[in-house]
Amino acid sequence: MEKITDYFGSLVFDDRVMKATLASDVYQSLKRTIDEGAPLDTKVADAVASAMKDWAIGCGATHFTHWFQPLTGITAEKHDSFISPAPDGRVIMEFSGKELIKGEPDASSFPSGGLRATFEARGYTAWDPTSYAFVKGKTLCIPTAFCSYGGEALDKKTPLLRSMEALNKQALRILRLFGNDTVKCVRTSVGPEQEYFLVDKEMFDRRKDLIFSGRTLFGAKPPKGQELDDHYFGVIKPRVAAYMEDLNKELWKLGILAKTEHNEVAPAQHELAPIYATTNIATDHNQLTMEIMQKVAAKHGLVCLLHEKPFAGVNGSGKHNNWSIATDTGTNLLTPGETPYENAQFLLFLCAVIKAVDDYQDLLRLSVATAGNDHRLGANEAPPAVISIFLGDELTAVLDAIEKGVPYCGTEKTVMKLGVHVLPKFTRDTTDRNRTSPFAFTGNKFEFRMLGSSNSIACANIMLNAAVAESLRIYADRLEAADDFQTALHEMIRKTIRDHKRIIFNGNGYDESWIREATQERGLLNLRTTPDCMPMLLSEKNMTMLISHKIFSEAELRSRYEIMMDNYCKTVNIEGLTMVDMAKKEILPAVETYTADLASALNAKKSAVADLGCMYEQTLISRLSALTDRIYLATEELEQALIRLKAISDVTAAANNIRDEIIPKMALLRVPCDEAETLTAEKYWPFPTYEKLLFGVK
Ligand code: ADP
Ligand code: MG
């Protein structure tokens, strides 16, 4: 048996390989680029490229690609082989520093949301040396950022790196104020828990809705769903276990720290969580994980569904973004400290997050907005669309005592004065975890739970980093100008608690009464759909903040708005067209055939015995006949609405039309189709049922 320790990271050009293959001065220079962002000179780049090529060829690679994350949400790659002609008619394998650092893919087919019209048709990719290169299949993949020639970001990595830099800059100002001169860099870390479904490939191939939209658009509830809670953490079935084993191995080879795996709440639903990493690496790894999940599934005759809501009536899939801030010296700034000073610092960072989440609820909400995720948020299975923070009773009580200036009734019965008293030790309560909160403090990190399973985690982290950077900037401005640091600090923390405590909610986020309280009493936002929240990206408050931290330019924001809305429209449009197609070509004919067969049976029976009642056949025939009429009419209505939608050219108007017209019509069509399924003999039904899809993998 191969040992994990032997093959872990074997396909990654990581620090170990760099050290072993690069000359010492080249290695040192590259390290400075990775750790401190120092520019790389061409000589060093050539040496790195050459070592990388030799190593990659040793791993079986013949090609290289700049691997990037365009705004389509998936990764893109264009392969070039290493071959270069030699004078003797043979070839040599070449890869230069220039090719490593910069690539020029034809950008014209990637969404740019108008940036290309304003700027240049071509884009370029630039090496991100902070994320290791790796070999996938026969290709050396070099993680890169993707920009237009005008320097405008056309990808998700560029603004993510900028947001990390913004947070680093502001957090360092705060640490300096606390007298810390040794920390060189502050980084955010993320551990994304990834949910997914596995279905049988043969069944998947027989459903156009799964093929075209990644989710079922029809399907009656099976007799058994998730109500027994017998799947969650249940014994993993042999086929799934074999899949997970293979998946882990592939991920480990790529240096991805896949750690935890278990069955999730819904039948056929599973989860994989890696050990956390620096945000941009975690983001790259999550993209790779999603890709490898699908590839490995294919090898096992399975399909991995990453859609947020593949099945109605059972839980959908999300992604939990566990997020923390840490220094290069290894201190997690969201861990309560041992000394009064550390505690004050902890409270300040905690408050920065509270303020950020309250001030930028809209940005966090829209950072997870997609047509798919709209099915989950607010549907009593995922956090509601309203954003709030769970802090736990103990920490909430501490903040309460600080705000009111009254004794904290914890272990010490004293009035909390920051910078003087050690905070009471928090017991990290892992038993009573509130799973209904969209944004929960879990002892030393926050868990942002609204992300959809297919989302890139980049967007959520860009907004989170940006919003926290803004809180820290405001704090640093005030504290740097203060005469008395202690007093200013204490006052600022109190003010944050007073101004932003409305965002803290420790109760059940699934409760109807919470939505009422949140929106009516606390004035929190409830942005239910993508068209509801996306326009907030362009509000003056949000644009000013994002532009001031140099995370986005105005043109980039406008382009992203266009792309997100356009993506929403296209996604739902495809679903609508698929429904029309399936209803017309599969469901109606199937029900019709079954009804006709029933009618023949009825006639046959009647001709055999003239005065038979045949109540069963007659009732069923009339019910199915009424349903086919309803299906027919609803299909016509949806089809007409989709034709009218085509005429709407403005993306905002189109998205609103989809929300108000198309989606309700899709729901109206689904009802009679699902009802017809329950009345139609199984062998007539044109595609695999929920029962087969959800319970078919053994
Ligand atoms: P859960 O109970 O939600 O499954 P876990 O404790 O298993 O929570 O952690 C889930 C994820 O959180 C894992 O990916 C883990 O690596 C990550 N995580 C743990 N500590 C941190 C941290 N300090 N920063 C970011 N992520 C973290
Ligand atoms: Mg979790």
Side-chain angles (χ1 to χ4, degrees):
M1 259 266 296
E2 269 179 297
K3 287 206 310 222
I4 299 173
T5 42
D6 289 343
Y7 65 77
F8 184 87
S10 58
L11 297 176
V12 187
F13 192 73
D14 57 15
D15 193 60
R16 194 180 38 144
V17 185
M18 289 178 198
K19 218 181 217 152
T21 57
L22 296 171
S24 149
D25 56 331
V26 173
Y27 172 77
Q28 293 305 335
S29 171
L30 179 59
K31 274 299 267 184
R32 270 197 302 281
T33 302
I34 294 172
D35 296 339
E36 295 155 36
L40 205 63
D41 73 57
T42 31
K43 265 220 197 75
V44 174
D46 278 334
V48 176
S50 171
M52 221 184 238
K53 176 205 66 187
D54 291 341
W55 166 83
I57 290 172
C59 295
T62 52
H63 289 66
F64 69 92
T65 183
H66 276 200
W67 185 78
F68 58 102
Q69 296 163 30
L71 295 166
T72 48
I74 49 171
T75 53
E77 38 194 84
K78 174 185 150 223
H79 299 181
D80 278 301
S81 73
F82 291 120
I83 61 165
S84 176
D88 61 358
R90 301 164 68 97
V91 290
I92 50 167
M93 301 300 258
E94 262 188 356
F95 183 48
S96 69
K98 220 175 106 222
E99 286 171 306
L100 167 65
I101 290 177
K102 193 167 169 181
E104 299 190 13
D106 180 2
S108 55
S109 295
F110 293 109
S112 82
L115 279 180
R116 253 191 326 271
T118 336
F119 300 90
E120 263 278 355
R122 289 175 68 84
Y124 69 91
T125 48
W127 180 32
D128 167 18
T130 60
S131 184
Y132 297 137
F134 54 92
V135 169
K136 184 160 61 77
K138 300 231 167 278
T139 306
L140 166 67
C141 297
I142 299 147
T144 53
F146 179 40
C147 298
S148 77
Y149 260 93
E152 307 281 340
L154 293 172
D155 69 349
K156 303 200 176 196
K157 184 186 270 270
T158 307
L160 179 66
L161 291 170
R162 291 177 187 158
S163 76
M164 290 168 70
E165 184 42 43
L167 191 134
N168 173 47
K169 186 172 154 193
Q170 303 305 333
L172 281 177
R173 287 176 70 195
I174 299 286
L175 292 180
R176 300 288 181 256
L177 283 163
F178 276 90
N180 187 328
D181 289 321
T182 48
V183 167
K184 282 212 212 82
C185 167
V186 171
R187 288 205 180 109
T188 53
S189 302
V190 168
E193 300 164 62
Q194 174 76 48
E195 291 180 340
Y196 60 98
F197 280 85
L198 284 179
V199 296
D200 189 84
K201 169 93 166 70
E202 193 261 328
M203 290 185 203
F204 173 94
D205 285 339
R206 285 163 53 206
R207 291 201 57 133
K208 290 190 197 180
D209 48 5
L210 286 179
I211 293 172
F212 293 133
S213 69
R215 74 176 179 108
T216 56
L217 299 165
F218 299 102
K221 271 205 185 102
K224 178 177 188 249
Q226 64 189 46
E227 55 279 86
L228 291 179
D229 286 328
D230 53 353
H231 188 68
Y232 191 53
F233 283 20
V235 177
I236 299 173
K237 291 176 183 154
R239 235 178 123 190
V240 176
Y243 166 79
M244 286 178 171
E245 193 183 320
D246 218 8
L247 174 63
N248 280 336
K249 190 165 176 192
E250 293 306 315
L251 295 175
W252 288 334
K253 282 196 238 165
L254 287 165
I256 297 173
L257 292 154
K259 171 89 174 161
T260 314
E261 59 198 21
H262 59 79
N263 286 350
E264 260 298 329
V265 174
Q269 192 184 30
H270 313 281
E271 181 185 295
L272 180 141
I275 296 173
Y276 66 97
T278 305
T279 308
N280 71 317
I281 292 172
T283 305
D284 286 356
H285 280 180
N286 184 249
Q287 291 299 126
L288 261 180
T289 300
M290 291 194 284
E291 184 185 328
I292 305 290
M293 276 178 157
Q294 283 163 314
K295 274 199 185 141
V296 173
K299 278 204 274 178
H300 289 252
L302 298 166
V303 176
C304 170
L305 301 178
L306 290 169
H307 193 283
E308 283 73 19
K309 192 70 183 175
F311 303 99
V314 297
N315 274 9
S317 300
K319 191 135 59 183
H320 289 176
N321 190 82
N322 295 274
W323 175 94
S324 65
I325 323 174
T327 65
D328 58 339
T329 48
T331 308
N332 179 349
L333 296 169
L334 294 176
T335 307
E338 298 291 333
T339 67
Y341 239 54
E342 284 170 1
N343 279 324
Q345 188 179 293
F346 160 72
L347 280 172
L348 190 68
F349 279 96
L350 184 75
C351 283
V353 178
I354 294 170
K355 177 174 164 55
V357 174
D358 189 25
D359 284 342
Y360 296 98
Q361 295 161 47
D362 44 5
L363 283 183
L364 291 175
R365 168 65 185 91
L366 71 87
S367 75
V368 300
T370 57
N373 216 14
D374 283 358
H375 296 288
R376 288 175 65 245
L377 302 177
N380 277 358
E381 57 171 88
V386 178
I387 300 205
S388 63
I389 300 181
F390 169 85
L391 280 186
D393 293 338
E394 204 174 2
L395 197 47
T396 307
V398 170
L399 295 189
D400 204 41
I402 294 172
E403 184 204 349
K404 300 202 174 90
V406 297
Y408 170 68
C409 303
T411 37
E412 301 168 68
K413 291 206 190 309
T414 49
V415 177
M416 298 283 303
K417 181 107 173 46
L418 298 171
V420 181
H421 292 289
V422 180
L423 281 182
K425 275 252 181 292
F426 305 112
T427 39
R428 260 186 79 187
D429 192 353
T430 47
T431 50
D432 182 29
R433 297 266 301 274
N434 186 327
R435 293 263 154 199
T436 66
S437 175
F439 204 93
F441 184 67
T442 51
N444 63 353
K445 63 183 190 293
F446 280 96
E447 189 167 335
F448 185 25
R449 302 200 178 111
M450 288 173 90
L451 288 76
S453 47
S454 70
N455 281 174
S456 156
I457 62 170
C459 303
N461 286 293
I462 292 168
M463 295 311 176
L464 189 50
N465 292 343
V468 174
E470 174 66 0
S471 298
L472 294 174
R473 181 196 64 78
I474 293 170
Y475 290 172
D477 282 355
R478 262 189 235 151
L479 290 175
E480 280 167 3
D483 296 330
D484 175 9
F485 178 72
Q486 291 293 332
T487 312
L489 178 67
H490 193 86
E491 270 319 302
M492 222 164 55
I493 287 177
R494 281 183 74 174
K495 182 170 158 45
T496 301
I497 302 168
R498 207 172 327 127
D499 293 351
H500 298 286
K501 64 181 175 195
R502 66 169 185 166
I503 198 81
I504 298 168
F505 176 64
N506 294 326
N508 182 359
Y510 294 180
D511 222 327
E512 282 283 324
S513 64
W514 160 238
I515 304 301
R516 219 171 315 119
E517 178 186 333
T519 52
Q520 289 169 18
E521 290 162 36
R522 301 194 187 203
L524 299 176
L525 293 170
N526 185 14
L527 301 165
R528 305 210 18 236
T529 67
T530 302
D532 292 334
C533 64
M534 276 319 293
M536 302 293 178
L537 184 63
L538 303 181
S539 77
E540 202 187 323
K541 170 198 79 154
N542 292 334
M543 291 231 282
T544 307
M545 186 275 280
L546 292 166
I547 294 168
S548 73
H549 287 280
K550 299 193 170 59
I551 294 165
F552 287 110
S553 68
E554 183 173 339
E556 286 169 348
L557 286 170
R558 293 196 185 281
S559 91
R560 258 149 236 257
Y561 172 77
E562 292 280 320
I563 291 168
M564 297 310 291
M565 290 290 258
D566 187 50
N567 184 277
Y568 172 83
C569 293
K570 284 181 177 149
T571 304
V572 183
N573 191 43
I574 291 170
E575 291 178 347
L577 292 171
T578 306
M579 282 188 95
V580 169
D581 184 275
M582 288 173 79
K584 276 189 183 170
K585 296 192 190 144
E586 296 185 312
I587 297 175
L588 283 171
V591 180
E592 196 64 10
T593 310
Y594 181 50
T595 317
D597 285 359
L598 281 172
S600 318
L602 175 70
N603 286 338
K605 276 173 142 182
K606 284 210 161 174
S607 59
V609 183
D611 54 356
L612 274 184
C614 296
M615 185 187 67
Y616 163 66
E617 290 85 351
Q618 287 190 351
T619 318
L620 203 49
I621 290 169
S622 14
R623 282 182 70 186
L624 286 171
S625 205
L627 282 171
T628 44
D629 286 352
R630 272 175 66 196
I631 296 172
Y632 169 71
L633 287 175
T635 309
E636 285 290 302
E637 284 230 0
L638 177 58
E639 194 169 18
Q640 290 307 317
L642 288 165
I643 291 169
R644 287 194 298 275
L645 172 68
K646 255 203 234 164
I648 306 175
S649 56
D650 176 65
V651 77
T652 309
N656 290 340
N657 178 269
I658 283 174
R659 178 194 58 202
D660 303 333
E661 291 282 327
I662 305 290
I663 291 179
K665 289 198 163 59
M666 285 165 62
L668 279 180
L669 170 58
R670 180 169 182 153
V671 175
C673 291
D674 289 358
E675 200 178 327
E677 185 193 320
T678 64
L679 297 176
T680 304
E682 204 161 313
K683 67 172 188 193
Y684 287 78
W685 201 248
F687 38 76
T689 60
Y690 267 30
E691 184 184 318
K692 296 216 171 71
L693 288 166
L694 288 167
F695 298 95
V697 177
K698 301 281 186 259

Coordinates of all heavy atoms in Angstrom, one line a residue, residues 193 320 322 433 435 447 449, ligand 2:
E193 N -16.3 24.1 3.9 CA -16.9 22.8 3.9 C -17.8 22.7 2.7 O -18.7 23.5 2.5 CB -17.8 22.6 5.2 CG -17.0 22.8 6.5 CD -17.9 23.0 7.7 OE1 -18.7 22.1 7.9 OE2 -17.8 24.1 8.3
H320 N -19.8 26.0 3.8 CA -19.6 26.9 5.0 C -18.2 27.4 4.9 O -17.2 26.7 4.8 CB -19.7 26.0 6.2 CG -21.2 25.7 6.5 ND1 -21.5 24.8 7.5 CD2 -22.3 26.0 5.9 CE1 -22.9 24.7 7.5 NE2 -23.3 25.4 6.5
N322 N -15.5 28.9 6.7 CA -14.9 29.2 8.0 C -13.7 30.2 7.8 O -12.8 29.9 7.1 CB -14.4 27.9 8.6 CG -15.5 26.9 8.9 OD1 -16.1 27.0 10.0 ND2 -15.8 26.1 8.0
R433 N -24.3 24.2 19.1 CA -23.9 25.1 18.0 C -25.2 25.5 17.2 O -26.0 24.6 16.9 CB -22.9 24.4 17.1 CG -21.6 24.0 17.8 CD -20.6 25.1 17.5 NE -20.5 25.3 16.1 CZ -19.6 24.5 15.3 NH1 -18.8 23.7 15.9 NH2 -19.5 24.7 14.1
R435 N -27.0 26.1 14.2 CA -26.8 25.8 12.8 C -27.7 26.7 11.9 O -27.7 26.5 10.7 CB -27.2 24.3 12.6 CG -26.2 23.4 13.2 CD -25.2 23.0 12.2 NE -23.9 22.6 12.9 CZ -22.8 22.5 12.2 NH1 -22.7 22.8 11.0 NH2 -21.7 22.2 12.9
E447 N -18.1 31.5 10.9 CA -18.5 30.5 9.9 C -19.6 31.2 9.1 O -20.7 31.4 9.6 CB -19.0 29.2 10.5 CG -19.3 28.1 9.6 CD -19.5 26.8 10.3 OE1 -18.9 26.6 11.4 OE2 -20.2 25.9 9.7
R449 N -22.3 30.9 6.5 CA -22.9 29.7 6.0 C -23.9 29.9 4.8 O -24.7 29.0 4.5 CB -23.7 29.1 7.1 CG -22.9 28.8 8.4 CD -23.7 27.7 9.2 NE -23.0 27.3 10.4 CZ -23.3 27.6 11.6 NH1 -24.4 28.4 11.8 NH2 -22.6 27.2 12.6
Ligands
MG2 MG -19.6 23.9 9.7

